[in-house]
Structures are given as structure tokens and as C-alpha cells.
Amino acid sequence: MLRLIAVGLLIVGLALGLLTGWGVPLGETLFRYDPALLNTAQAGIQRYASPALWDDGVLPLLERPSWVLPAGSGALLLMLRGLLLSPRRR
Amino acid sequence: MLLRKNPGWTIAERQATPETLFFGRRAALAAAGLAGTGVALPTRRAGAVDLPTAMRNPRYRPERALTAEREATTYNNYYEFGSHKTISAAAQRLPQRPWTLRVEGLVERPGEFALDDLLRRVPVEERVYRHRCVEAWAMVVPWSGFQLSELMKLAAPLGSAKYVRFETAAVPSAMPGLRQSWYPWPYVEGCTIQEAANELSFMVVGAYGKPLPPQNGGPVRIHFPWKYGFKSGKSLARVVLTDQRPKSFWEQIQPQEYGFWANVNPAVPHPRWSQASERLLGTEERVPTQLFNGYGEFVSGLYEGVQGERLWF
């Protein structure tokens, strides 16, 4: 199951890179998809959680190329799976 | 429980004489030679950015108590600094001088004005205006500034100019919001040439008798008191006369919620909340919202005969 999710995320990352361009920020991709989405999310996070959570947590992710977050998460999950299923743990 | 007993001499902050009137009176006394005792009367605070003495224009009565300065200057919307209300500290990074305002487009005399030079060429006065945010809160502020029509006179619009486009400064080193490169910066707002000529349209350079703080749009902003606050662009860098209706920042992002006209109307709700009443900053009292924010006598004529437009978004 973990491997399926990881491979799915890698495919999403690849597709985003091919479709939107390898250097296009995730924020721009989401903005193109729904111009109001990020504004609503930012207002919610900054007003009801913490301004810093947006500025220092979410915004750096949105500034990265679109493919980085899904592909990076997929790669991380594959590594995690590898660790969990390593011979020492069997 | 804390029991606070005020001594008999205390008064509410809203009852205090506005600083601008206090200093204005001193300036008048000094000019008339009535100070007379050999004691120098300061006309403004040492170290302050230049703000000409502004006498209050009594024509515009807010019919409400002034909002406490601390409330008005610490609860702000300024998207370039964040989407929350506590941006006042971050906004201090925006340099206020030197500041130039470019006026161009369909005008006879385009130009770039150093703000302090501009303030020597226009009559500066104080007006107490109600300010109504689209988010259903409101405040009453003594603004110092000059009528937008004075700036128009200097630039002399051509007959072909139909709209005025206001652009906020975009200063990436000071404004963290500009990191969101997907938004259509700079912040743009606009009005018709008729709205710009209306006597209420006011270029603001001060508040509470002091230079306008950056979180409120300093050093210079526009204020249309009959419209929702987002129409009144802050920290203006450029004013363009044009024959094309400007597409505003919010119109590009959420056109179903924020339009070009955005006149205050309690009977037309925002898609996500009612506009029937408003919360007064400071007292938290809820009061009924008025059509055109109560300025109908000045502006309703602007919209007679305007057909097929969403005047209230």
C-alpha cells in the first residue's frame, strides 16, 4: 500500500513537471487551477493559526517547483518503506 | 477581579482634541505673533516626516466617535505584508521617504512628483471620514490630505481619459507578500474619471495629525469613503489616466466577490457574509450599515443612468 502511494506521488510529480514546466512554482500551478484557493488558505492559516506558519511553513513549499512536493514525498515514502522492510527488522 | 476606578478628570480618548487641531492652533498663534512671550511654540513633533498643518474641514461629519488611534493603526489589511490584521510591525520596513508619485497616461502634463514637493502645491486639510471594510468592520479616522481633483488639475487629464488606475508600490525587500509571485502584483485599483473628480475622493498623507503610517497606506494613499476599503489603494507609486477600465488586483483573483465598483450597500450581501451591519473597531459595537456608507448625498448622482453594472461588489 505504501509503495502504491509513493509511486502514485512520483507519477503526479512527473506529470506536473511535464504539464506545467519544471521551474513553475507550486503556488502558480495552484493559482492557475483556482485563483481564490491560496488566498482563502492563507487567510485561514494566518488569521486562525499563525502568520508564521504560512510565511515560514507553507510559503516555502509553494515557492518550490510544482513537481518537488509530490515527487519528494513519494521518494520519502519509498525510503521509509525500505527502512521498515529492511532485513534487520524482519 | 480588577476594579478600575477612573479619577474625575479622565476623559475618553475619543473626546481629546485631535493632535492636528492642537498643533494647527499653535501654528496659527505663532503666525499671528500672538505667542508673544518669547517662548517658542513647536508646530510639529521633532524628527517627524514633513506634514503640512491641516485644519479640519467641518463639511464632512462622521456622526460617530473617532476610532482610537491605537485601534486604527494596529488592525490593518495590507496584503503585501500578510493576510492577517497584525501587519503593523512588518509594515515599518517600507521606507516612507524619499517617495515619488508618478502621474501619467492620458494627461497633458505627466510628471513625477516628490511627495513633499507635491504637498507644497496642493491645499492640505483634515477630513474625518468613515471607513467601511468589505469584511464588515468600520472605523472613523481624521485623515489629512488633499482632494484627488487637485492632483488631476496638476496633470490635466485629456478628454479621452475615462478611468484612473492606482498602483501600489511593490518593494520586494520590504513586502514579504510579493514572494507569492503568482499574484498579479502590483496591487491595482481604479475608479472612473467622474469618481476621481468627486469632492470626497481624497489623497491621504496623514492620520490623527501625524504622517500616515505605512500600515495604513503611508506615505500616500487614496480614500473613497463611500466604497469598500479595498478600493482605496495604499502606498501609491503610480496614478495612470486611461481609457481602459482597470482590472483590479482582487478582481483578477476573486471576481465573483470583488468587483470594480464596490459601493457600500447594506442590502447586497457579500457572497460569504451579510453587509447589513458593521463592527466598530475599538468598541466592538454593531451598527447598521448605510447605503454608500452614508455619503449618498455626495455620490449617488454618479451612478444615475449606469446600467448593467454590478455597482455593489
Side-chain angles (χ1 to χ4, degrees):
Chain A
M1 184 65 181
L2 206 59
R3 191 172 68 170
L4 194 68
I5 294 171
V7 171
L9 285 168
L10 284 170
I11 291 171
V12 169
L14 182 70
L16 279 173
L18 288 170
L19 290 173
T20 65
W22 295 101
V24 175
L26 177 61
E28 189 169 326
T29 302
L30 293 172
F31 181 74
R32 280 184 205 163
Y33 170 71
D34 179 356
L37 177 71
L38 291 176
N39 173 48
T40 308
Q42 183 186 3
I45 290 171
Q46 290 200 312
R47 293 178 195 184
Y48 302 110
S50 154
L53 178 59
W54 179 266
D55 289 338
D56 304 328
V58 179
L59 192 50
L61 293 175
L62 294 173
E63 290 175 299
R64 300 254 178 270
S66 307
W67 60 270
V68 168
L69 184 63
S73 306
L76 211 65
L77 282 182
L78 278 182
M79 279 166 45
L80 188 69
R81 181 177 176 276
L83 282 175
L84 289 174
L85 298 180
S86 65
R88 278 189 299 154
R89 306 269 316 216
R90 281 180 191 164
Chain B
M1 188 170 73
L2 175 68
L3 290 175
R4 191 169 149 190
K5 189 177 177 187
N6 290 328
W9 48 264
T10 56
I11 59 169
E13 189 172 344
R14 66 177 179 275
Q15 293 174 285
T17 303
E19 193 171 4
T20 182
L21 280 187
F22 175 77
F23 284 119
R25 181 172 170 274
R26 282 176 172 240
L29 283 172
L34 296 175
T37 61
V39 178
L41 295 175
T43 55
R44 64 185 178 86
R45 292 167 305 137
V49 172
D50 252 356
L51 180 65
T53 300
M55 299 303 288
R56 182 170 296 176
N57 186 333
R59 180 168 161 78
Y60 310 101
R61 299 183 179 280
E63 312 294 351
R64 280 183 199 164
L66 286 185
T67 302
E69 181 181 353
R70 189 168 47 82
E71 301 289 343
T73 55
T74 56
Y75 188 90
N76 308 102
N77 280 330
Y78 202 149
Y79 201 40
E80 286 85 338
F81 293 101
S83 191
H84 51 102
K85 307 298 176 195
T86 52
I87 54 84
S88 56
Q92 304 311 311
R93 289 197 295 265
L94 182 65
Q96 301 290 285
R97 292 292 192 282
W99 193 273
T100 54
L101 180 64
R102 280 165 60 199
V103 183
E104 56 194 5
L106 300 174
V107 293
E108 281 177 29
R109 295 186 291 272
E112 186 166 282
F113 299 94
L115 184 56
D116 294 318
D117 293 342
L118 177 61
L119 293 179
R120 283 189 276 273
R121 298 175 65 180
V122 292
V124 175
E125 63 183 48
E126 184 182 76
R127 294 184 181 186
V128 182
Y129 276 168
R130 290 183 297 275
H131 175 97
R132 172 59 156 83
C133 179
V134 73
E135 297 168 337
W137 56 266
M139 59 183 178
V140 178
V141 175
W143 305 107
S144 304
F146 55 93
Q147 263 185 218
L148 175 59
S149 59
E150 295 292 335
L151 186 65
M152 295 294 109
K153 266 190 237 169
L154 291 175
L158 299 175
S160 52
K162 300 282 183 274
Y163 299 95
V164 185
R165 172 188 163 98
F166 301 91
E167 285 184 18
T168 293
V171 184
S173 59
M175 297 170 157
L178 300 188
R179 284 168 60 194
Q180 298 165 101
S181 57
W182 42 93
Y183 287 132
W185 307 111
Y187 190 96
V188 167
E189 263 305 340
C191 69
T192 64
I193 197 85
Q194 293 82 8
E195 289 174 324
N198 186 272
E199 66 173 272
L200 291 182
S201 301
F202 200 52
M203 294 288 280
V204 178
V205 295
Y208 299 93
K210 301 170 187 168
L212 188 64
Q215 65 271 29
N216 290 90
V220 59
R221 70 176 297 179
I222 181 66
H223 191 22
F224 302 110
W226 72 97
K227 291 176 177 285
Y228 292 117
F230 69 89
K231 290 295 298 178
S232 298
K234 294 173 169 173
S235 307
L236 299 177
R238 192 164 169 245
V239 176
V240 184
L241 283 286
T242 170
D243 56 0
Q244 304 290 315
R245 183 193 286 194
K247 193 153 193 185
S248 71
F249 180 84
W250 287 114
E251 216 179 342
Q252 292 180 65
I253 296 174
Q254 287 178 281
Q256 70 283 14
E257 296 188 5
Y258 307 105
F260 173 77
W261 299 94
N263 296 306
V264 174
N265 187 339
V268 179
H270 182 277
R272 288 183 282 146
W273 57 80
S274 166
Q275 297 289 25
S277 66
E278 60 208 54
R279 173 176 62 88
L280 302 183
L281 282 194
T283 65
E284 305 307 302
E285 183 189 355
R286 280 211 90 82
V287 298
T289 290
Q290 302 173 68
L291 184 63
F292 292 114
N293 200 22
Y295 292 101
E297 64 179 299
F298 296 98
V299 298
S300 56
L302 290 170
Y303 307 103
E304 284 167 8
V306 176
Q307 304 290 332
E309 294 283 353
R310 298 196 315 164
L311 292 175
W312 317 109
F313 281 96

